[in-house]
């Protein structure tokens, strides 16, 4: 499982100019089963996405297609973790330690 932390690198007005395309990109990733949750940070200086994929390389590829990245308004920090405990609704994503 992955935590994607977005940090805005441009004024919020510039972020908002690309927001509609970013939301459409989010929707596509939810439809593909990659994203589990997402939202703005508070204060609004970026966002957080919880995601699943077959590997870090795939997550990096997906993040690179974010319209925010194309517009140069955010940077990503990607953290991989092993979800050994989850809420019942996320049970299918539970992992075991090797």
């Amino acid at each position: 499982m992955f935590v994607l932390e977005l940090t805005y690198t441009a004024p919020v007005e510039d972020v908002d100019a690309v927001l509609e395309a970013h939301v459409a990109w989010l929707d596509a990733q939810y439809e593909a089963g990659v994203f589990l949750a997402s939202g703005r940070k508070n204060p609004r200086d970026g966002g957080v996405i919880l995601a699943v994929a077959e590997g870090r390389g795939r997550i990096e590829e997906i993040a690179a297609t974010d319209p925010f990245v194309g517009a140069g308004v955010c940077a990503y920090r990607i953290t991989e973790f092993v979800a050994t405990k989850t809420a019942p609704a996320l049970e299918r994503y539970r992992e075991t330690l090797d």
Side-chain angles (χ1 to χ4, degrees):
M1 192 169 290
F2 299 87
V3 176
L4 289 68
E5 182 180 4
L6 293 74
T7 301
Y8 297 152
T9 58
V12 173
E13 300 78 30
D14 294 346
V15 172
D16 284 343
V18 192
L19 188 57
E20 187 175 327
H22 172 75
V23 171
W25 172 81
L26 288 171
D27 290 344
Q29 299 312 316
Y30 277 106
E31 288 179 29
V34 176
F35 290 174
L36 304 177
S38 62
R40 293 178 178 174
K41 291 192 282 185
N42 187 16
R44 188 178 175 206
D45 60 1
V48 175
I49 301 168
L50 184 61
V52 293
E54 59 274 6
R56 183 181 185 90
R58 180 66 184 129
I59 287 294
E60 289 172 348
E61 290 172 0
I62 291 167
T65 66
D66 182 348
F68 279 177
V69 172
V73 299
C74 89
Y76 270 88
R77 178 176 174 233
I78 299 171
T79 303
E80 184 173 4
F81 73 102
V82 179
T84 56
K85 191 165 184 74
T86 65
L90 295 176
E91 183 176 354
R92 68 182 258 185
Y93 303 107
R94 247 180 242 161
E95 303 172 79
T96 56
L97 296 172
D98 294 331

